Amino acid sequence: MLTTALLNYPESRANRTKTTPICSIKKCLLYSGNLMRVGASGIRNSTLRNSQHELISSLDETLKVFLREQGSCFYIPENDYLEIPDTRHRNSLDQEDLNDLEVSVKLFYLPDTTGTSHFPASYVSESLEYIKRHLGVEHVHDFVLSFPEHNFQENVNDVVPAWNEMEHFYKDGAIKHLGVSEFSPSELCNLSKKVQITPQINHVDLGNNSSVSADIVAYAAANNIQLLTHQDSSDILPASSFNALLAKYGIVSSIEEAKLTPRWVLKYSSVIRTRGVIANKGYIVSASSY
């Protein structure tokens, strides 16, 4: 039986419930833990390079340690909400290091099961709030959006609401630099015409190539866009793999009964600037049945 444990989160959450059995889950939030620490899936010393494998392996380890060894989680029954943190490595940075922390995040919008293009702006605010709370910071340095198998050559209207949400936090100082992933020059141009703050970062996957294509380099140079290479999987968390993990650890009775669909994944890393030390690296996953 899964039961809840009080977490050091706001009072409104702490007063919810203490030992309620989990019978129904409509929304789930899951943390991978710090992959830079030994014990977080052994990934620090592994040969795993693919972000999908890295993510699934780390979630497996979080569920195994937290549910099997500690037997507790955080659950709000009236909302059917389950949150599974990783408590193996709490943030132990002192205030000086926290002030010097540079946090980079990448928000992956996952494929919609209906086959429609749906990129809720709320995912930006949700994920930003979770990472700020998780790392104990007031802002992030880079916030990059990644969309599944996208093609916005003719129409970027679907992504404008999410971008506008980022612009809001940019103006408030909660995000320092805005970016996208795998956008072509024409897509960057089309997006720039519809927003107030144009893209400052573009993630590009070299694949089997040794260099970025000349047209992307030229457009980035002309428009002051930083090009950053990445090796992230285009399908970072398949729904089947996620629900297999939930079934494996008894969160759902079986894969067939699983009704949770992963909605977004936030990949993050943080560096202590003055020392050049990577302090944190990990993932946050949000899934729901609606």
Side-chain angles (χ1 to χ4, degrees):
M1 177 183 295
L2 302 179
T3 57
T4 62
L6 292 181
L7 305 179
N8 295 321
Y9 292 158
E11 263 312 296
S12 59
R13 291 192 171 203
N15 291 332
R16 291 292 188 166
T17 182
K18 294 184 178 180
T19 57
T20 306
I22 294 179
C23 300
S24 174
I25 303 171
K26 292 183 179 178
K27 186 171 183 178
C28 177
L29 190 73
L30 183 59
Y31 294 79
S32 71
N34 186 359
L35 304 188
M36 296 307 298
R37 299 291 187 91
V38 175
S41 304
I43 287 179
R44 184 180 181 187
N45 299 315
S46 78
T47 58
L48 289 178
R49 299 295 182 185
N50 184 283
S51 55
Q52 182 193 108
H53 295 163
E54 181 180 69
L55 172 57
I56 293 172
S57 176
S58 62
L59 293 180
D60 188 298
E61 185 72 10
T62 293
L63 289 168
K64 178 175 68 175
V65 171
F66 197 72
L67 296 179
R68 286 188 174 175
E69 296 183 10
Q70 298 185 16
S72 59
C73 58
F74 176 68
Y75 180 61
I76 303 177
E78 61 265 39
N79 295 336
D80 295 322
Y81 172 79
L82 172 69
E83 184 173 322
I84 303 176
D86 182 277
T87 57
R88 288 168 290 176
H89 304 294
R90 291 290 190 183
N91 191 352
S92 58
L93 298 178
D94 58 32
Q95 191 59 49
E96 183 178 354
D97 281 342
L98 277 176
N99 293 339
D100 195 41
L101 206 62
E102 184 173 289
V103 180
S104 297
V105 303
K106 186 174 184 177
L107 177 62
F108 295 83
Y109 279 84
L110 301 182
D112 192 291
T113 54
T114 63
T116 60
S117 296
H118 185 52
F119 310 122
S122 61
Y123 292 2
V124 172
S125 54
E126 286 178 13
S127 60
L128 180 60
E129 180 58 33
Y130 289 135
I131 192 60
K132 287 167 57 182
R133 185 185 74 185
H134 182 56
L135 297 182
V137 297
E138 295 299 322
H139 67 268
V140 300
H141 190 264
D142 301 339
F143 199 114
V144 173
L145 296 180
S146 177
F147 303 98
E149 299 298 328
H150 73 266
N151 186 346
F152 305 127
Q153 299 292 344
E154 301 297 331
N155 187 357
V156 296
N157 290 336
D158 288 339
V159 308
V160 170
W163 189 268
N164 289 159
E165 188 75 355
M166 285 207 305
E167 289 180 320
H168 166 75
F169 290 108
Y170 177 89
K171 294 172 182 176
D172 283 351
I175 299 174
K176 301 301 182 182
H177 300 91
L178 312 182
V180 289
S181 183
E182 297 297 332
F183 267 45
S184 67
S186 62
E187 290 171 328
L188 290 167
C189 181
N190 289 339
L191 178 61
S192 297
K193 293 176 181 178
K194 294 180 177 293
V195 298
Q196 294 180 12
I197 302 166
T198 59
Q200 299 157 315
I201 298 169
N202 189 21
H203 278 194
V204 292
D205 184 2
L206 295 181
N208 297 322
N209 301 318
S210 59
S211 61
V212 180
S213 64
D215 60 337
I216 293 179
V217 172
Y219 186 89
N223 293 276
N224 198 28
I225 297 174
Q226 184 180 13
L227 295 178
L228 300 176
T229 60
H230 73 97
Q231 294 180 315
D232 296 320
S233 172
S234 59
D235 188 16
I236 194 168
L237 185 59
S240 58
S241 299
F242 180 75
N243 283 309
L245 282 176
L246 298 186
K248 177 180 179 180
Y249 292 101
I251 297 176
V252 296
S253 58
S254 68
I255 297 178
E256 291 72 28
E257 292 296 319
K259 297 179 180 179
L260 290 173
T261 299
R263 304 298 179 181
W264 55 260
V265 170
L266 189 76
K267 180 179 181 179
Y268 64 87
S269 64
S270 64
V271 177
I272 302 174
R273 289 189 299 265
T274 54
R275 291 194 276 143
V277 175
I278 300 177
N280 251 291
K281 176 185 176 184
Y283 299 87
I284 303 174
V285 175
S286 178
S288 69
S289 60
Y290 51 84

Short mmCIF file of all heavy atoms in Angstrom, two decimals, residues 106 181-183 202-209 211-213 216 228-234:
data_model
loop_
_atom_site.label_atom_id
_atom_site.label_comp_id
_atom_site.label_asym_id
_atom_site.label_seq_id
_atom_site.Cartn_x
_atom_site.Cartn_y
_atom_site.Cartn_z
N LYS A 106 15.30 22.71 -20.26
CA LYS A 106 14.71 22.45 -21.57
C LYS A 106 13.38 21.75 -21.35
O LYS A 106 13.33 20.68 -20.75
CB LYS A 106 15.64 21.59 -22.42
CG LYS A 106 15.17 21.38 -23.86
CD LYS A 106 16.25 20.64 -24.65
CE LYS A 106 15.88 20.50 -26.12
NZ LYS A 106 16.97 19.84 -26.90
N SER A 181 14.30 24.60 -29.91
CA SER A 181 15.13 23.47 -30.31
C SER A 181 14.78 23.02 -31.72
O SER A 181 13.60 22.86 -32.04
CB SER A 181 14.95 22.30 -29.32
OG SER A 181 15.79 21.22 -29.65
N GLU A 182 15.80 22.86 -32.52
CA GLU A 182 15.65 22.32 -33.88
C GLU A 182 14.75 23.19 -34.78
O GLU A 182 13.96 22.67 -35.56
CB GLU A 182 15.12 20.88 -33.84
CG GLU A 182 16.03 19.89 -33.15
CD GLU A 182 17.37 19.72 -33.84
OE1 GLU A 182 17.45 19.92 -35.07
OE2 GLU A 182 18.35 19.41 -33.15
N PHE A 183 14.88 24.50 -34.65
CA PHE A 183 14.14 25.39 -35.53
C PHE A 183 15.00 25.75 -36.74
O PHE A 183 16.19 26.05 -36.60
CB PHE A 183 13.73 26.67 -34.79
CG PHE A 183 12.36 26.61 -34.18
CD1 PHE A 183 11.93 25.49 -33.47
CD2 PHE A 183 11.48 27.68 -34.31
CE1 PHE A 183 10.68 25.44 -32.91
CE2 PHE A 183 10.22 27.65 -33.75
CZ PHE A 183 9.80 26.52 -33.05
N ASN A 202 19.11 28.49 -30.02
CA ASN A 202 18.54 27.42 -30.85
C ASN A 202 19.38 26.17 -30.65
O ASN A 202 20.59 26.17 -30.89
CB ASN A 202 18.53 27.82 -32.33
CG ASN A 202 17.76 26.82 -33.19
OD1 ASN A 202 16.92 26.07 -32.69
ND2 ASN A 202 18.03 26.80 -34.47
N HIS A 203 18.73 25.11 -30.14
CA HIS A 203 19.43 23.83 -29.98
C HIS A 203 19.44 23.11 -31.33
O HIS A 203 18.40 23.01 -31.99
CB HIS A 203 18.71 22.96 -28.95
CG HIS A 203 19.05 23.29 -27.54
ND1 HIS A 203 18.76 22.47 -26.48
CD2 HIS A 203 19.69 24.37 -27.00
CE1 HIS A 203 19.18 23.01 -25.36
NE2 HIS A 203 19.75 24.16 -25.65
N VAL A 204 20.59 22.58 -31.70
CA VAL A 204 20.71 21.84 -32.96
C VAL A 204 21.40 20.51 -32.70
O VAL A 204 22.36 20.42 -31.93
CB VAL A 204 21.49 22.64 -34.03
CG1 VAL A 204 20.69 23.85 -34.48
CG2 VAL A 204 22.85 23.08 -33.50
N ASP A 205 20.90 19.47 -33.33
CA ASP A 205 21.47 18.13 -33.24
C ASP A 205 22.31 17.88 -34.48
O ASP A 205 21.79 17.90 -35.60
CB ASP A 205 20.34 17.09 -33.12
CG ASP A 205 20.87 15.68 -32.92
OD1 ASP A 205 22.11 15.51 -32.82
OD2 ASP A 205 20.05 14.75 -32.84
N LEU A 206 23.57 17.64 -34.28
CA LEU A 206 24.45 17.41 -35.42
C LEU A 206 24.18 16.07 -36.09
O LEU A 206 24.44 15.92 -37.29
CB LEU A 206 25.92 17.46 -34.96
CG LEU A 206 26.43 18.80 -34.43
CD1 LEU A 206 27.89 18.68 -34.04
CD2 LEU A 206 26.24 19.90 -35.46
N GLY A 207 23.64 15.11 -35.34
CA GLY A 207 23.38 13.79 -35.92
C GLY A 207 24.69 13.17 -36.40
O GLY A 207 25.67 13.08 -35.67
N ASN A 208 24.71 12.77 -37.65
CA ASN A 208 25.91 12.19 -38.24
C ASN A 208 26.82 13.23 -38.89
O ASN A 208 27.83 12.90 -39.50
CB ASN A 208 25.54 11.13 -39.27
CG ASN A 208 24.81 9.95 -38.65
OD1 ASN A 208 25.14 9.55 -37.53
ND2 ASN A 208 23.82 9.41 -39.34
N ASN A 209 26.41 14.49 -38.80
CA ASN A 209 27.20 15.56 -39.41
C ASN A 209 28.26 16.06 -38.44
O ASN A 209 28.13 15.94 -37.22
CB ASN A 209 26.30 16.73 -39.82
CG ASN A 209 25.22 16.28 -40.80
OD1 ASN A 209 25.50 15.52 -41.72
ND2 ASN A 209 24.00 16.77 -40.61
N SER A 211 29.21 19.29 -38.52
CA SER A 211 29.02 20.73 -38.34
C SER A 211 27.56 21.10 -38.59
O SER A 211 26.80 20.36 -39.21
CB SER A 211 29.93 21.52 -39.27
OG SER A 211 29.62 21.21 -40.63
N VAL A 212 27.19 22.28 -38.10
CA VAL A 212 25.84 22.80 -38.30
C VAL A 212 25.73 23.34 -39.72
O VAL A 212 26.69 23.88 -40.28
CB VAL A 212 25.55 23.92 -37.28
CG1 VAL A 212 24.15 24.48 -37.46
CG2 VAL A 212 25.76 23.42 -35.85
N SER A 213 24.55 23.19 -40.31
CA SER A 213 24.36 23.63 -41.69
C SER A 213 24.62 25.12 -41.83
O SER A 213 24.36 25.92 -40.91
CB SER A 213 22.95 23.31 -42.17
OG SER A 213 21.99 24.02 -41.42
N ILE A 216 21.75 27.76 -41.14
CA ILE A 216 21.43 27.99 -39.72
C ILE A 216 22.49 28.87 -39.08
O ILE A 216 22.18 29.79 -38.32
CB ILE A 216 21.29 26.65 -38.97
CG1 ILE A 216 20.07 25.87 -39.48
CG2 ILE A 216 21.18 26.87 -37.47
CD1 ILE A 216 19.86 24.53 -38.82
N LEU A 228 23.50 25.99 -29.79
CA LEU A 228 24.01 25.01 -28.84
C LEU A 228 23.68 23.61 -29.36
O LEU A 228 22.54 23.34 -29.71
CB LEU A 228 23.39 25.21 -27.46
CG LEU A 228 23.63 26.56 -26.78
CD1 LEU A 228 22.87 26.64 -25.48
CD2 LEU A 228 25.12 26.79 -26.55
N THR A 229 24.67 22.74 -29.41
CA THR A 229 24.42 21.38 -29.88
C THR A 229 23.84 20.53 -28.75
O THR A 229 24.07 20.80 -27.57
CB THR A 229 25.71 20.73 -30.40
OG1 THR A 229 26.67 20.68 -29.35
CG2 THR A 229 26.26 21.51 -31.58
N HIS A 230 23.10 19.50 -29.13
CA HIS A 230 22.50 18.61 -28.14
C HIS A 230 22.41 17.20 -28.72
O HIS A 230 22.57 16.99 -29.93
CB HIS A 230 21.11 19.09 -27.73
CG HIS A 230 20.07 18.87 -28.79
ND1 HIS A 230 19.22 17.78 -28.77
CD2 HIS A 230 19.75 19.58 -29.91
CE1 HIS A 230 18.42 17.83 -29.83
NE2 HIS A 230 18.72 18.91 -30.53
N GLN A 231 22.14 16.24 -27.84
CA GLN A 231 21.96 14.85 -28.25
C GLN A 231 20.66 14.28 -27.67
O GLN A 231 20.56 13.09 -27.42
CB GLN A 231 23.15 14.00 -27.81
CG GLN A 231 24.46 14.35 -28.49
CD GLN A 231 25.62 13.48 -28.02
OE1 GLN A 231 25.79 13.25 -26.83
NE2 GLN A 231 26.40 12.99 -28.96
N ASP A 232 19.69 15.14 -27.47
CA ASP A 232 18.43 14.71 -26.86
C ASP A 232 17.60 13.89 -27.83
O ASP A 232 17.53 14.20 -29.02
CB ASP A 232 17.62 15.93 -26.40
CG ASP A 232 18.33 16.69 -25.30
OD1 ASP A 232 18.92 16.04 -24.42
OD2 ASP A 232 18.30 17.94 -25.33
N SER A 233 16.96 12.87 -27.29
CA SER A 233 16.11 12.01 -28.10
C SER A 233 14.88 12.78 -28.56
O SER A 233 14.32 13.59 -27.81
CB SER A 233 15.68 10.78 -27.29
OG SER A 233 14.72 10.03 -27.98
N SER A 234 14.43 12.54 -29.78
CA SER A 234 13.22 13.19 -30.28
C SER A 234 11.97 12.61 -29.62
O SER A 234 10.91 13.23 -29.65
CB SER A 234 13.12 13.02 -31.80
OG SER A 234 13.10 11.64 -32.15
#
